[in-house]
Amino acid sequence: MSEAAQYAVRDGIAVITLNNPPVNGLGNALRAAVMEHLKKAEADAAVRAVVIIGSAKFFSGGADIREFSATRLPPDLPDVNNQQDSMGKPLVAAIGGFALGGGLELALACHYRIALPRSQLGLPEVKLGILPGSGGTQRLPRIIPMTEAVRMMTTGAMISAERAKELGLVDEIVQGDLLESALAFAKQAIGKPLRRIRDQKAKLDGDPKAFFAQVREQVAKESKGYPAPLEIVACAEAAATLPFDEGRKQERVGFDRLMKGTESKALRHMFFAERQTAKIPDVPEDTPVRTVKKAAVIGAGTMGGGIAMNFANAGIPVTLIDMNQAAVDKGIGIIRKNYAATVAKGRLKQEEMDQRLGFIKETTKLEEIKDADIIVEAVFERMDVKQDIFRQLDALAKPGAILATNTSTLDVDQIAAGTKRPQDVIGTHFFSPANVMRLLEVVRGKHTDKGVLATTMKLGKTLKKVAVVSGVCEGFIGNRMLEKYGQQSLFLLDEGATPQQVDGAMAKFGMAMGPFTMYDMAGNDIGWEIRKRRYQERPDFVYSRIADRICEQGRFGQKTGKGFYKYEPGNRKPIPDPDVQKIMDSYRTEIGAKPRAISDEEIVERLTYALVNEGAQILEEGIALRASDIDMVYLTGYGFPPYRGGPMFYADTVGLDKVLKSIEGFQKGYQGAQWKPAPLLVKLAKAGRKFNE
Ligand code: NAD
């Protein structure tokens, strides 16, 4: 008998126990075992009902995603579902924990479903750019109201057992021993007529045409050109208007189409990329980690406050330190306001807010870091200030404490050099707003101890971040690439584009926002400071001076009401400003540039390939461990559209030869000398290879 699922008979009831840890993924072995056991139960006259049960935590987490790219061996899940449909004995799914995707489809092909109160049910396929491909789109709307079914499938959100019971997806919520309850439930079902979901009508009142026209419009708006949700709506409509088997056929066609599409490949890439970031080749998984039970954050400004919230949210007591009481009060005030806003939205309970605030201790005395297991410095971005703090930390921190810096541009090794314990120093580059953004760049210094790195990566997980390792270089992975992107965005203005045209093209490509909206939001003065430094240090790195002209007029962005756009008081909506046009016109005259019409396509290529080319450089230098890490940085920190898989994956889908050819074309254009194809890109393009292989 197969190990992936066990078979036993108790009091005339067959029990099929799914046994494919950790999540009861429906890989080939498990599918084959379930199929074999179902047939056996059907053939055995002594068996009068069947219970399918999983583990305490997972009924089943669904399909084994690794099998997606391979040829699937029979039996496939639809074959198993067909077997379930053909059974002449009641089938009961006993759901403890999660029933997701294919796992829920397996349960939907049973006659009954019972669940424990803590169980969660969902069809999250949409998150991977596909749809429930084994009858889910046809069965779910036949058992719960269509509106709810569409919502569950297009958002991929899970529902609780209680909600599932209300909707009719679960027949009974049971307490105590799940198997015993399932056996009792199965026993009373013996002899009753078998109700298959496939034989029911979809739960939709009124005219399907009108209903789906409205749903389609709504979903199209929310899904922004990403195809899976609309394909799901089409299948749901088929469930309401076609016989079951016809609907199943449509579902299969839609599933195959999505599976082959770039969007789904990108989302699956993202799924695996996220799991890769924690793997560091020379730091084995069993590297001993240090305990992190107490934290301290120095600097209660924009970043420090957000970072402290991360610790508090994870239940780690944190001491928040600033230079004077006014600065501390200001920081705590903002933290309080942030939590209160979440409470007002109903996403946090007042008691939870109070509890989290209780984890944050405020002070102006640096010596209070003495008990902390990790200290995160988030003071002004100046080497002398940071070095001075680290010298003091060296004297005050307990032995073995991790000394982390949130610097976004400074050399972590130089900061570490001022201490007697450079092995304990590491960069933790949080992104703004730090309590919201998922990305955490973990900067590994020359002397950073492997245990310190492993501990910080683990802490990232505890803080619910996507922690990506970066080597030391100016800007690390994300901002170093962004500088090239920014450089091109401004060159485009020199050549005749407007901020709104560039932003529009990038938003259409799928970026959360275009570059000029982003600069105005972050504050143009930050980039100005960096450029002023660059003019001295790197005269080879040429900038358009339009951004300087903008800053010279005090147009620092949203905070001053004017930047590359203008803003109405209290409103963040960027409005094109004729004054910016004048600044651009006069600068173009000054440099003798004749404005030309620039296509959206060129804008997208110039900006994304600027990221890709620098990404290739970063990869070759070993600053990033792998191409998919660079993708994760952009997906989680810079608003790159998930269904494009990150810049490196996007380049792979375009074809590296094409990317290289475009870059070679740009070399002949405006400021062409600023384009130097990265040797790794050239090498891979010539060999017909990809960044993510
Ligand atoms: P901020 O100006 O908002 O806050 C800095 C805080 O540090 C201030 O409250 C200041 O009073 C305090 N401070 C300065 N010197 C101190 C000292 N000696 N002891 C105690 N407190 C001191 O700055 P920020 O935007 O929060 O940036 C902090 C760090 O984070 C910088 O290194 C910055 O480069 C980095 N960073 C910023 C962002 C961002 O978007 N703002 C993003 C990532 C990283």
Side-chain angles (χ1 to χ4, degrees):
M1 197 197 294
S2 167
E3 288 282 301
Q6 277 125 18
Y7 183 84
V9 179
R10 278 188 52 188
D11 290 340
I13 298 170
V15 178
I16 300 175
T17 307
L18 313 181
N19 180 31
N20 185 24
V23 303
N24 274 330
L26 284 160
N28 178 253
L30 181 54
R31 295 194 305 268
V34 173
M35 186 75 155
E36 177 191 328
H37 299 328
L38 285 171
K39 285 184 175 163
K40 190 168 172 184
E42 184 67 357
D44 184 348
V47 168
R48 308 203 49 211
V50 183
V51 166
I52 303 180
I53 190 168
S55 66
K57 275 200 178 152
F58 277 91
F59 174 74
S60 165
D64 183 340
I65 298 169
R66 278 162 306 185
E67 282 186 9
F68 279 13
S69 340
T71 319
R72 276 160 77 88
L73 297 170
D76 212 343
L77 189 55
D79 304 324
V80 178
N81 294 155
N82 289 343
Q83 174 64 31
Q84 291 172 273
D85 276 338
S86 73
M87 302 276 288
K89 304 171 183 186
L91 284 179
V92 180
I95 302 171
F98 296 98
L100 301 176
L104 183 56
E105 289 179 305
L106 181 70
L108 282 167
C110 291
H111 303 101
Y112 302 98
R113 283 148 298 282
I114 67 165
L116 289 176
R118 62 156 187 267
S119 299
Q120 305 243 34
L121 300 85
L123 292 173
E125 285 83 350
V126 70
K127 294 186 179 168
L128 293 178
I130 51 173
L131 52 75
S134 192
T137 66
Q138 301 305 296
R139 287 193 178 87
L140 192 65
R142 282 178 161 85
I143 189 159
I144 71 170
M146 182 61 86
T147 314
E148 297 297 332
V150 169
R151 199 188 59 79
M152 263 179 87
M153 294 189 290
T154 54
T155 62
M158 292 188 285
I159 60 170
S160 65
E162 192 186 344
R163 180 77 182 133
K165 173 79 173 59
E166 276 168 21
L167 294 173
L169 177 53
V170 158
D171 298 284
E172 214 172 278
I173 295 181
V174 299
Q175 312 281 342
D177 188 288
L178 180 63
L179 179 58
E180 293 307 323
S181 305
L183 289 168
F185 189 97
K187 199 164 275 173
Q188 57 81 35
I190 295 169
K192 289 192 184 153
L194 293 177
R195 253 172 63 103
R196 302 187 304 180
I197 293 179
R198 57 168 290 148
D199 302 328
Q200 317 296 314
K201 274 182 58 175
K203 290 194 180 302
L204 174 66
D205 299 325
D207 173 24
K209 217 169 173 187
F211 174 84
F212 283 103
Q214 199 214 330
V215 167
R216 195 166 277 119
E217 191 183 326
Q218 172 79 18
V219 171
K221 215 183 310 163
E222 285 163 7
S223 54
K224 295 185 194 145
Y226 154 59
L230 282 174
E231 195 81 69
I232 289 171
V233 173
C235 291
E237 185 165 11
T241 54
L242 299 174
F244 181 83
D245 289 326
E246 292 297 308
R248 277 284 291 118
K249 268 188 218 151
Q250 177 164 337
E251 181 189 80
R252 187 39 55 174
V253 172
F255 180 83
D256 289 342
R257 185 164 39 225
L258 291 173
M259 199 67 162
K260 286 192 204 108
T262 332
E263 290 86 357
S264 162
K265 285 188 186 137
L267 290 164
R268 280 180 273 148
H269 164 71
M270 183 172 167
F271 180 89
F272 289 115
E274 184 168 347
R275 281 146 189 84
Q276 280 289 314
T277 57
K279 301 196 172 87
I280 310 166
D282 66 330
V283 182
E285 265 170 52
D286 58 358
T287 304
V289 291
R290 301 183 186 180
T291 316
V292 179
K293 286 213 174 111
K294 269 190 175 172
V297 175
I298 308 171
T302 311
M303 295 308 290
I307 297 168
M309 285 174 79
N310 279 298
F311 285 110
N313 295 348
I316 301 172
V318 53
T319 304
L320 182 60
I321 304 159
D322 210 304
M323 289 189 286
N324 53 55
Q325 198 54 43
V328 171
D329 290 346
K330 188 169 163 215
I332 291 283
I334 293 171
I335 292 175
R336 202 177 279 279
K337 224 165 83 188
N338 280 337
Y339 277 134
T342 318
V343 171
K345 284 185 203 139
R347 287 203 246 117
L348 190 74
K349 293 198 191 104
Q350 183 64 47
E351 309 89 85
E352 289 169 326
M353 164 170 165
D354 297 342
Q355 192 189 26
R356 290 179 192 193
L357 283 170
F359 283 124
I360 305 175
K361 184 181 160 205
E362 49 193 88
T363 179
T364 54
K365 298 193 188 78
L366 194 61
E367 23 331 337
E368 298 209 21
I369 58 124
K370 64 180 188 305
D371 296 332
D373 302 305
I374 183 165
I375 299 132
V376 183
E377 165 278 310
V379 304
F380 304 135
E381 185 74 344
R382 273 179 38 200
M383 185 54 90
D384 56 335
V385 178
K386 302 230 189 237
Q387 280 183 326
D388 178 49
I389 295 262
F390 273 74
R391 255 192 303 276
Q392 295 183 61
L393 291 184
D394 201 11
L396 294 169
K398 69 179 186 186
I402 295 175
L403 312 183
T405 171
N406 188 50
T407 181
S408 28
T409 51
L410 301 174
D411 184 337
V412 174
D413 292 329
Q414 216 179 323
I415 295 174
T419 73
K420 287 188 213 74
R421 35 176 142 171
Q423 74 281 0
D424 295 338
V425 177
I426 195 162
T428 47
H429 185 213
F430 287 84
F431 285 70
S432 181
N435 53 315
V436 177
M437 297 297 286
R438 286 178 72 217
L439 178 61
L440 172 65
E441 279 182 330
V442 174
V443 186
R444 180 181 192 172
K446 206 165 32 192
H447 301 291
T448 304
D449 174 73
K450 288 182 184 179
V452 168
L453 180 58
T455 308
T456 309
M457 293 301 284
K458 183 169 170 236
L459 175 68
K461 213 174 204 175
T462 309
L463 302 185
K464 299 205 167 71
K465 299 287 171 191
V466 173
V468 177
V469 179
S470 170
V472 174
C473 68
E474 174 119 20
F476 314 123
I477 298 172
N479 284 345
R480 177 169 154 186
M481 286 163 68
L482 193 72
E483 189 152 23
K484 300 283 180 174
Y485 175 91
Q487 184 192 38
Q488 288 301 320
S489 70
L490 290 165
F491 285 162
L492 284 163
L493 298 193
D494 290 0
E495 293 181 80
T498 60
Q500 51 274 27
Q501 189 199 352
V502 175
D503 284 357
M506 295 315 287
K508 213 154 57 182
F509 173 76
M511 294 297 288
M513 66 181 84
F516 295 102
T517 308
M518 178 177 78
Y519 306 146
D520 271 3
M521 203 172 98
N524 294 317
D525 46 330
I526 296 178
W528 195 23
E529 285 308 315
I530 296 176
R531 285 194 302 278
K532 283 190 218 161
R533 184 146 52 89
R534 287 278 196 283
Y535 295 146
Q536 309 298 322
E537 292 169 359
R538 288 198 53 191
D540 58 311
F541 196 100
V542 178
Y543 290 93
S544 154
R545 300 288 172 122
I546 286 183
D548 298 349
R549 301 283 188 275
I550 296 271
C551 288
E552 281 156 16
Q553 302 205 3
R555 304 183 66 112
F556 292 159
Q558 282 186 18
K559 61 185 169 191
T560 56
K562 280 177 182 176
F564 286 97
Y565 298 94
K566 59 182 177 185
Y567 299 85
E568 304 281 2
N571 195 328
R572 291 167 182 224
K573 189 173 170 263
I575 304 166
D577 188 346
D579 289 346
V580 172
Q581 190 61 49
K582 279 188 208 139
I583 295 173
M584 294 192 300
D585 288 342
S586 94
Y587 182 69
R588 286 174 193 145
T589 314
E590 189 185 318
I591 60 169
K594 236 199 223 126
R596 65 177 175 96
I598 301 173
S599 69
D600 284 3
E601 196 191 346
E602 179 180 342
I603 292 172
V604 169
E605 283 198 355
R606 291 261 296 269
L607 297 193
T608 53
Y609 297 173
L611 293 177
V612 171
N613 197 45
E614 193 63 17
Q617 195 62 44
I618 281 173
L619 199 55
E620 190 158 33
E621 287 172 24
I623 296 293
L625 289 172
R626 51 185 82 84
S628 63
D629 278 9
I630 298 178
D631 286 333
M632 280 321 288
V633 166
Y634 266 77
L635 289 165
T636 55
Y638 294 84
F640 206 88
Y643 60 84
R644 297 203 190 270
M648 309 313 274
F649 184 86
Y650 174 66
D652 286 341
T653 60
V654 171
L656 298 190
D657 51 342
K658 278 197 195 148
V659 173
L660 178 60
K661 211 165 155 222
S662 296
I663 292 180
E664 285 165 351
F666 301 151
Q667 285 185 292
K668 297 180 196 115
Y670 180 70
Q671 294 288 11
Q674 291 297 304
W675 283 100
K676 291 182 191 73
L680 179 66
L681 171 65
V682 176
K683 195 171 97 189
L684 294 177
K686 296 255 148 81
R689 289 175 56 196
K690 295 178 172 186
F691 289 121
N692 289 285
E693 282 183 329

